[in-house]
Each structure stands twice: as structure tokens, then as C-alpha cells.
């Protein structure tokens, strides 16, 4: 039996277990592995599991590696902005691209499409896939409150609701209202991520997110931050770059080019941090029925 090497990483508090799976042995067991590893009491803890894998694409669109993202509930995710930034940083640490400090560039394959990234030490900037399915002012009544939701897919589907002040945002029942929006029939069958935001006096935006797949409020959401920035442009005329402050601390910066037809050149920039590196004991995997990985 052999142990499984891992890195615990986070981007603005959005935390992940990152595992090198370039030999492909974890792919068919990814759901069970995510459930076990992301358990915050009996595992390593995390919002999701990230597998760094070889990209099987051929030709000019081949990526340096593939990111497979699995939510803590065992459900696959098309894309995770903060997770992708951590995956890129980890890929550089594993030698999948020359670490030139400032300006290291990689191409990463995801279920949402090919994502380009630039690494500047701990800070990673993603060139996001083109947003789609933009809708403004979708009316929804939840728990006696009326919301005019901005809806957009930034790699995964999101809604954005703006509150009148940061104080109102802090008082909001994000777990209850977010869960109701996430499971609302208007967004069936896949559901949606629910973001809530408020403009600060300095022009930045404070945000909170109930995240689909994680099924709880998370400390940050990268694709949700992009959705908030694009919604702020449509609703308030916010100019790029837009600064987003998530609950987990740090700063996410969103760049974009906007037109009446949609958004282009969307970028997500922010910090990453490696918390720990180590080995998962083969015995631990075996006890949890993951003997095929041990």
C-alpha cells in the first residue's frame, strides 16, 4: 500500500484538498474520496477536492494539465474560480510549468472549457471563459422578501442580489435564503449559486455566497465574485476593475470588457496560500473503503 500525497490550499478562505492525479488512478473514485477527505471532523476538511490530471486533448488547444473539481458533497463541479487559482499555483509547484516568479503562464482544461492563467508568486490571475445566459431583474420572493436577481453563468450558474448596505448584508440569513434560491424551481434542474452583495463607500463590493454543491455559505467564491462584478456593472455602472471583498478576507479583482451583447476578456485575480503538504495514510484510505487507492 502507498500513501496519497496532498496539499491543503485556500483562496480568500475558500479551501481545498489538492491531489496530484496525473496517473489517473483517482478519477473513478473521486466522489467517495471527496466525501472522505473534505470531512471537517474525520478528514482533512475543505470545500472541495481538486485533482490535477493530464490533459488528453490533442492539437493546438492542448492544456498543460486538467483540473477536475469535486464538491465536498461528492458532486462534480464544472468550474471553481478560487479552486482553479489554487490548482494553477499547485501545478507550478509540481513543475508542470517553469516557475519564473512573475508572469508564469499555464493553460488548464476544465469542464467549463480551457482557462488561461498567469502566476505572480502567490497571486494567480485567470482568464475566465466567456459568461453566458445573462438575465437582469429576475423577480423572486423568498421568505417574505422580494429580490430582483441578476442571473449569469460565469463557468457555473449564479444569481446576484444587491442589498442596500453592507450592514444589511451582514445581517442577512444567507444560509436560509441562499438555500431557497439555490433549490428554487426557477433554476431547476441543476440549481444555482446564490450571491448577495452590497456596495461600500470606497466603490468596492462586499459579498457573501451560498454555494451549490458545497450546500452551505462559503468564505469566498471566485466565479461568484465575477458574477457580482458583472452585475454591479449592469446595475450601477461599475467600471473595471471591480474590487470584491469576500468573507474569508483578501481581495479579489475582476477585470472585463462589456458591451450590450455581453462580456469579454473577463479575468479573476487574487491570492492563493498553501496551508500544508503531506501524505494521507494508506491505512486511513483502507478503513474508509478506498482500498483501490491505497
Amino acid at each position: 500500500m502507498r500513501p496519497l500525497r496532498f496539499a491543503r490550499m485556500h483562496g480568500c478562505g475558500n479551501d481545498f484538498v489538492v491531489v496530484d492525479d496525473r496517473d489517473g488512478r483517482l478519477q473513478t473514485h473521486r466522489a467517495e474520496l471527496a466525501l472522505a477527505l473534505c470531512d471537517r471532523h474525520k478528514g482533512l476538511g475543505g470545500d472541495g477536492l481538486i485533482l490535477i490530471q493530464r490533459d488528453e486533448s490533442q492539437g493546438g488547444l492542448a492544456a498543460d494539465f486538467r483540473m477536475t473539481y469535486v464538491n465536498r458533497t461528492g458532486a462534480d463541479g464544472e468550474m471553481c474560480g478560487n479552486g482553479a487559482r489554487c490548482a494553477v499555483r499547485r501545478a507550478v509547484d509540481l513543475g508542470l510549468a517553469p516557475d519564473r516568479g512573475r508572469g508564469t503562464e499555464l493553460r488548464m482544461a476544465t469542464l467549463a472549457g480551457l482557462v488561461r492563467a498567469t502566476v505572480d508568486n502567490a497571486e494567480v490571475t485567470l482568464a475566465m471563459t466567456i459568461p453566458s445566459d445573462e438575465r437582469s431583474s429576475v423577480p423572486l420572493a423568498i421568505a417574505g422578501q422580494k429580490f430582483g436577481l441578476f442571473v449569469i453563468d460565469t463557468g457555473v450558474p449564479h444569481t446576484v442580489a444587491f442589498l442596500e448596505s453592507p450592514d444589511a448584508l451582514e445581517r442577512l440569513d444567507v444560509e436560509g435564503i441562499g438555500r431557497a434560491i439555490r433549490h428554487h424551481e426557477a433554476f431547476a434542474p441543476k440549481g444555482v449559486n446564490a450571491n448577495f452583495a452590497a456596495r461600500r463607500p470606497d466603490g468596492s463590493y462586499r459579498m457573501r455566497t451560498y454555494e451549490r454543491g458545497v450546500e452551505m455559505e462559503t468564505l469566498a467564491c471566485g466565479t461568484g465574485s465575477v458574477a457580482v462584478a458583472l452585475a454591479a456593472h449592469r446595475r450601477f455602472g461599475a467600471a473595471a476593475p471591480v474590487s470584491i471583498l469576500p468573507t474569508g478576507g483578501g481581495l479579489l479583482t475582476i477585470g472585463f470588457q462589456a458591451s450590450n451583447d455581453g462580456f469579454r476578456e473577463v479575468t479573476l485575480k487574487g491570492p492563493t496560500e498553501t496551508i500544508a503538504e503531506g501524505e494521507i495514510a494508506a491505512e486511513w484510505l483502507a478503513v474508509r473503503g478506498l482500498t483501490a487507492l491505497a
Side-chain angles (χ1 to χ4, degrees):
M1 295 192 297
R2 53 176 170 157
L4 190 65
R5 290 202 56 80
F6 73 91
R8 279 280 281 117
M9 304 182 72
H10 80 93
C12 295
N14 210 179
D15 60 336
F16 312 96
V17 180
V18 186
V19 178
D20 181 357
D21 185 37
R22 280 177 287 173
D23 62 6
R25 69 187 180 112
L26 307 182
Q27 179 69 10
T28 57
H29 302 277
R30 62 190 184 279
E32 308 98 290
L33 191 61
L35 286 166
L37 290 179
C38 295
D39 188 310
R40 294 194 181 277
H41 300 287
K42 298 179 180 180
L44 295 171
D47 291 329
L49 167 68
I50 294 170
L51 301 180
I52 293 179
Q53 301 173 316
R54 298 188 187 279
D55 179 48
E56 303 300 330
S57 302
Q58 302 295 321
L61 294 180
D64 294 292
F65 71 100
R66 172 171 292 278
M67 178 188 79
T68 292
Y69 177 68
V70 189
N71 288 291
R72 63 183 291 271
T73 57
D76 287 340
E78 301 96 321
M79 176 59 174
C80 174
N82 288 321
R85 293 191 305 99
C86 289
V88 167
R89 179 63 253 181
R90 184 61 177 167
V92 171
D93 293 342
L94 291 171
L96 297 184
D99 187 353
R100 294 183 290 271
R102 301 180 64 91
T104 298
E105 296 182 355
L106 292 90
R107 293 179 299 179
M108 173 177 58
T110 73
L111 286 179
L114 189 69
V115 174
R116 287 177 166 79
T118 303
V119 181
D120 183 357
N121 295 316
E123 196 164 67
V124 176
T125 302
L126 300 181
M128 305 293 286
T129 54
I130 296 174
S132 61
D133 192 27
E134 179 184 343
R135 291 174 281 163
S136 297
S137 300
V138 175
L140 218 62
I142 302 290
Q145 298 187 57
K146 294 182 178 180
F147 296 96
L149 300 176
F150 178 85
V151 179
I152 195 166
D153 190 313
T154 57
V156 291
H158 285 275
T159 64
V160 179
F162 288 104
L163 279 75
E164 63 271 19
S165 69
D167 287 342
L169 178 62
E170 301 306 328
R171 295 192 300 267
L172 186 71
D173 177 15
V174 169
E175 288 278 344
I177 295 174
R179 185 180 299 109
I181 293 174
R182 179 262 185 269
H183 290 287
H184 197 279
E185 61 183 7
F187 307 110
K190 290 186 176 181
V192 72
N193 296 275
N195 304 279
F196 306 90
R199 189 178 186 275
R200 290 160 42 95
D202 63 1
S204 64
Y205 287 82
R206 172 77 174 91
M207 73 169 287
R208 298 174 66 186
T209 300
Y210 183 93
E211 195 164 341
R212 182 193 70 166
V214 183
E215 304 307 337
M216 62 186 293
E217 181 179 2
T218 54
L219 294 182
C221 179
T223 54
S225 297
V226 172
V228 168
L230 303 185
H233 174 77
R234 293 297 195 213
R235 189 72 58 88
F236 306 114
V242 175
S243 297
I244 303 291
L245 290 95
T247 299
L251 177 68
L252 293 168
T253 304
I254 316 302
F256 56 85
Q257 293 181 8
S259 70
N260 292 334
D261 296 328
F263 295 93
R264 297 289 187 275
E265 305 298 325
V266 179
T267 58
L268 167 63
K269 178 181 179 181
T272 64
E273 185 174 31
T274 299
I275 303 165
E277 298 180 51
E279 293 183 345
I280 302 159
E283 292 78 9
W284 185 91
L285 293 169
V287 165
R288 282 151 183 83
L290 295 168
T291 52
L293 307 182

